[in-house]
């Protein structure tokens, strides 16, 4: 053995007894051994593991996000647009008068919506609504895929999600809104029943034609309430939900094939779900909707009518202003559409169409107001507020700033009969009682400031009976009568008949008889209606039914009550018949019916009135002078080409035309009067002027020589009338 080998062998360390028994020291003379490499995993396996890890991580994050979203997203308050509703005003026959808001919506309870209409909507939008969850993830994914691949934008939303979008959120297409919709829908399903959600959906969905909700849609497309919709009509409204504007066949007739296909799809869905039989489906025909109409605004008379109704509701405490402004009210008025139209025509015929401001500057001042009331019920059947609400906002039917003039005089006589008043000489006041009608005669028995009213045109009449003084509207007579009765009692009687106690200038003084009070046309119509109803007053009403969101609301009782005695009211009616037959209101005879009435003129001829009634209808008409720029009251001298405008002119002509047309289908009926003792008047028909036969001047053929003729009636005082005409 060589030394080198020996030294190497000698230098080798001894084996470690604690080492692995299989360990052997490497022989440095041998080539190094390679450690076998560990086998590597394939790339697909690595990717799979990574994907699995990401999926698990994503699942954890998604679950966390869902939990966080559910906890963080709460059900918000309804958005303003969803709860905004217009107030719906209807005529007494149920036809639409007006809507006073931009949003055409009227919420209804689910039980008002026919079952087939509800089922049609479900067939169109969510057939599994009653059995499925609030959200459908598969449908959402499918809709997203179809949108991405160009098959059209689809929502994949259930009815619950659509309701959340309509009611709580908005229509913006964002991921944030969609996420909120998702969580709110889940929570909502835990808090509301399916029926509550469906009701909300049907009241918030847009159907086109500015109609929000199925009730508004029923009126917009078929002119009826939702409960009157048939299956075919309901299916069409359901079809509209997909594309309201495009599927309106009246505005887009070119889309009719698509509309019919969608309508058929809805009906076929109802058959598939067992809600409709195949036979019923086959019998249905497409229900063409009515032609689209412009949105109903407040132009023309509508604004005045709405204003009057709102004032009626708020002034009586039925609804406060703030609540009414919140909308959602369905208001059935007492207004009759035919009589309303007749009143408008009468004003246009006798006044509006005759105005020529370019040629006659005074015509710029003319304003008209009118109101008609049923005496038996107190219901207001027609109002005229002005030429157009969008041009003249002040309602001439309800304003209280023009003197009523001599239309107040009948209340003085009613008070006299009601109280059994006597003259200064101790004579009972009846239609025959004589008064001194001298112009500027100072009143007697008044302890206040001396008062000597002028008669119209300064005319003096000497001794004149009350009936004739009424016909001729003699101020001197009625100022004295007011003192004889007692101005305070006159005021109480006017209020009892229907004038508001707060009427401006309704002051207990002798001048009260001449009508300085500024009651409205509607106030006066109620008071005259009380006279026509034999003294029974039914507080005038403009509303017969009121509801909100389908819930009826109470209205005050309008049960008539005896305001003044029947004899007082009926005797006043008998006197007022003379005004129409032979006095200042003869133009009212053109109505062709027995009528009673009174003319009136405000101070300085700034207003002219005619208040009259038949047994069936009391109507008051006034023309008023107002500068359209300054708003100042102006005289009507020269208006309509007339030297003076008085109550016996255009106002009485309007009254006659309206009354004739409004009562055209009503049998002619005479007054059934019960007069005060000694006040009965002979039933002799009037004799036309110039045709009196010889010996027809009085009962015995002999005149009294002073222009007055005895009627032969035995009464407390002589029954004499000017001009040799008998009292009919």
């Amino acid at each position: 053995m060589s030394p080198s080998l020996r030294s190497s062998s000698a230098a080798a360390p001894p084996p470690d007894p604690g080492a692995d028994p299989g360990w052997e020291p490497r022989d440095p003379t041998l080539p190094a051994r390679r450690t076998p490499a560990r086998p590597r995993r394939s790339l697909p396996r690595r990717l799979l593991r990574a994907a699995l890890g990401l999926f698990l991580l994503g699942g954890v994050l998604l679950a966390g996000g869902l939990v966080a979203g559910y906890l963080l997203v709460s059900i918000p308050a309804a958005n303003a647009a969803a709860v905004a509703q217009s107030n719906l005003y209807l005529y007494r026959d149920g036809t639409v008068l007006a809507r006073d808001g931009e949003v055409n919506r009227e919420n209804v309870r689910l039980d008002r919506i026919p079952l087939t209409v509800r089922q049609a909507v479900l067939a169109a939008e969510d057939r599994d609504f009653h059995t499925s969850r609030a959200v459908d993830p598969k449908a959402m994914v499918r809709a997203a895929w179809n949108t991405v691949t160009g098959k059209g934008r689809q929502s994949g939303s259930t009815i619950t999600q659509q309701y959340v979008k309509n009611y709580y959120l908005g229509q913006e297409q964002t991921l944030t809104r969609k996420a909120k919709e998702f969580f709110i829908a889940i929570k909502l399903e835990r808090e509301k029943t399916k029926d509550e959600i469906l009701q909300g959906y049907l009241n918030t969905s847009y159907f086109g034609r500015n109609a929000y909700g199925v009730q508004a849609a029923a009126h917009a497309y078929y002119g009826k309430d939702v409960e009157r919709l048939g299956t075919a009509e309901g299916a069409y409204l359901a079809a509209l939900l997909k594309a309201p504007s495009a599927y309106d066949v009246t505005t887009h007739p070119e889309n009719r094939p698509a509309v019919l296909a969608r309508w058929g799809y809805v009906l076929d869905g109802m058959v598939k779900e067992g809600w409709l039989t195949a036979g019923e489906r086959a019998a249905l025909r497409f229900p063409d909707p009515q032609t689209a109409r412009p949105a109903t605004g407040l132009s023309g008379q509508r604004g005045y009518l709405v204003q009057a109704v709102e004032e009626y509701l708020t002034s009586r405490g039925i609804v406060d202003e703030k609540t009414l402004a919140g909308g959602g009210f369905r208001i059935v008025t007492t207004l009759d559409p035919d009589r309303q139209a007749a009143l408008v025509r009468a004003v246009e015929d006798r006044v509006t169409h005759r105005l020529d401001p370019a040629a006659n500057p005074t015509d710029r001042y003319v304003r008209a107001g009118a109101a008609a009331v049923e005496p038996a019920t107190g219901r207001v059947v027609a109002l005229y507020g002005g030429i157009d609400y969008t041009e003249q906002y002040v309602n001439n039917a309800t304003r209280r700033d023009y003197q009523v003039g001599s239309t107040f005089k009948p209340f003085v006589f009613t008070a006299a009969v009601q109280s059994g008043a006597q003259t200064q000489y101790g004579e009972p006041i009846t239609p025959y009682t004589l008064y001194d009608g001298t112009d500027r005669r100072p009143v007697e028995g008044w302890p206040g400031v001396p008062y000597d009213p002028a008669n119209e045109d300064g005319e003096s009449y000497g001794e004149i009976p009350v009936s004739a003084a009424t016909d001729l509207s003699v101020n001197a007579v009625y100022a004295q009568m007011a003192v004889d009765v007692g101005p305070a009692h006159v005021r109480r009687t006017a209020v009892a008949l229907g004038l508001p106690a707060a009427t401006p200038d309704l002051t207990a003084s002798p001048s009260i008889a001449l009508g300085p009070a500024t009651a409205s046309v509607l106030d006066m119509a109620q008071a005259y209606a009380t006279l026509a109803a034999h003294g029974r007053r039914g507080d005038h009403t403009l509303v017969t039914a009121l509801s909100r969101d389908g819930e009826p609301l109470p209205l005050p009782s309008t049960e008539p009550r005896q305001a003044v005695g029947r004899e007082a009211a009926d005797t006043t009616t008998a006197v007022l018949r003379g005004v129409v037959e032979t006095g200042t209101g003869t133009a009212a005879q053109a109505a062709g019916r027995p009528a009673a009435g009174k003319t009136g003129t405000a101070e300085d001829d700034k207003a002219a009135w005619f208040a009259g009634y038949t047994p069936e209808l009391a109507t008051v008409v006034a023309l008023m002078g107002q500068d359209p720029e300054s708003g100042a009251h102006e005289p009507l001298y020269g208006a309509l080409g007339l030297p003076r405008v008085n109550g016996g002119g255009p106002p009485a002509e309007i009254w006659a035309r309206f009354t004739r047309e409004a009562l055209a289908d009503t049998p002619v009926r005479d007054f059934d009067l019960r007069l005060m003792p000694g006040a009965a008047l002979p039933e002799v028909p009037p004799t036309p002027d110039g045709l009196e036969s010889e010996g027809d001047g009085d009962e015995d053929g002999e005149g009294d020589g002073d222009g007055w003729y005895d009627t032969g009636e035995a009464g407390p005082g002589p029954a004499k009338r000017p001009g040799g005409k008998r009292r009919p």
Side-chain angles (χ1 to χ4, degrees), residues 284-338:
L284 295 176
R285 297 292 178 268
F286 181 73
D288 281 296
Q290 64 188 13
T291 303
R293 300 175 182 175
T296 302
L298 297 181
S299 60
Q301 294 301 305
R302 289 188 292 267
Y304 300 120
L305 302 181
V306 166
Q307 184 188 72
V309 171
E310 289 182 345
E311 182 179 323
Y312 171 83
L313 291 172
T314 57
S315 65
R316 286 160 176 75
I318 301 170
V319 181
D320 65 83
E321 279 190 60
K322 185 175 181 180
T323 303
L324 187 61
F329 288 91
R330 178 186 176 90
I331 304 164
V332 182
T333 72
T334 59
L335 298 164
D336 183 299
D338 294 332

Side-chain angles (χ1 to χ4, degrees), residues 508-542:
S509 68
S511 66
I512 192 173
L514 278 59
T518 56
S520 72
V521 170
L522 183 55
D523 295 336
M524 295 297 287
Q526 170 165 295
Y528 272 73
T530 303
L531 293 175
H534 311 293
R536 287 182 63 79
R537 172 180 165 182
D539 284 340
H540 84 265
T541 176
L542 272 161

Side-chain angles (χ1 to χ4, degrees), residues 29 81 167 223 255 295 303 316 331 335 352 365 367 386 408 433 442 451 453 478 520 532 572 594 611 616 639 649 704:
T29 63
Y167 191 73
N255 291 344
R316 286 160 176 75
I331 304 164
L335 298 164
T352 308
Y365 300 153
R367 302 286 182 269
F408 191 93
T433 303
Y451 184 58
Y478 268 90
S520 72
T572 301
E616 305 86 3
D704 293 336

Side-chain angles (χ1 to χ4, degrees), residues 437-715:
T438 302
D439 182 52
R440 307 301 307 237
R441 173 188 176 275
V443 298
E444 299 176 359
W446 174 243
V449 177
Y451 184 58
D452 57 344
N455 295 330
E456 186 173 4
D457 297 327
E459 187 78 23
S460 288
Y461 298 93
E463 283 197 339
I464 184 173
V466 168
S467 58
T470 307
D471 293 354
L472 300 173
S473 205
V474 182
N475 291 338
V477 169
Y478 268 90
Q480 183 62 59
M481 190 188 303
V483 173
D484 294 345
V485 176
H489 186 64
V490 171
R491 186 185 189 282
R492 286 194 297 271
T493 301
V495 172
L497 289 170
L499 265 60
T503 299
D505 294 321
L506 186 61
T507 306
S509 68
S511 66
I512 192 173
L514 278 59
T518 56
S520 72
V521 170
L522 183 55
D523 295 336
M524 295 297 287
Q526 170 165 295
Y528 272 73
T530 303
L531 293 175
H534 311 293
R536 287 182 63 79
R537 172 180 165 182
D539 284 340
H540 84 265
T541 176
L542 272 161
V543 178
T544 60
L546 178 68
S547 62
R548 194 182 198 192
D549 295 337
E551 294 295 330
L553 300 174
L555 292 171
S557 173
T558 57
E559 190 67 27
R561 62 189 183 280
Q562 200 70 40
V564 298
R566 175 165 181 171
E567 288 184 354
D570 285 1
T571 305
T572 301
T573 297
V575 170
L576 295 183
R577 292 193 65 178
V579 175
V580 174
E581 292 161 356
T582 60
T584 55
T586 54
Q589 293 177 16
R593 290 173 174 268
K598 184 70 186 75
T599 58
T601 306
E603 188 175 6
D604 297 327
D605 281 22
K606 293 178 180 178
W609 297 68
F610 183 79
Y613 53 94
T614 67
E616 305 86 3
L617 194 61
T619 305
V620 176
V621 181
L623 295 190
M624 309 160 185
Q626 183 175 16
D627 189 308
E629 297 175 1
S630 68
H633 293 189
E634 296 289 347
L636 291 173
Y637 299 120
L640 295 165
L642 302 171
R644 297 181 62 182
V645 177
N646 54 50
E653 294 169 3
I654 292 170
W655 185 94
R657 167 160 178 162
F658 165 69
T659 302
R660 183 177 67 249
E661 191 170 341
L663 299 178
D665 298 328
T666 304
V668 175
R669 184 161 61 95
D670 204 348
F671 291 99
D672 177 20
L673 303 180
R674 186 183 302 165
L675 307 183
M676 67 181 297
L681 301 171
E683 293 297 329
V684 179
T687 304
D689 289 341
L691 296 179
E692 292 91 340
S693 59
E694 185 176 353
D696 198 33
D698 57 42
E699 290 297 320
D700 58 8
E702 295 180 5
D704 293 336
D706 60 356
W708 300 91
Y709 292 84
D710 190 351
T711 63
E713 284 291 324

Side-chain angles (χ1 to χ4, degrees), residues 52-90:
L52 180 61
L54 290 174
F55 179 77
L56 291 175
L57 178 61
V60 171
L61 292 175
L62 178 61
L66 290 173
V67 172
Y70 186 82
L71 294 175
L72 294 175
V73 177
S74 59
I75 299 177
N79 64 60
V83 296
Q85 299 183 68
S86 59
N87 289 324
L88 175 63
Y89 296 81
L90 304 174

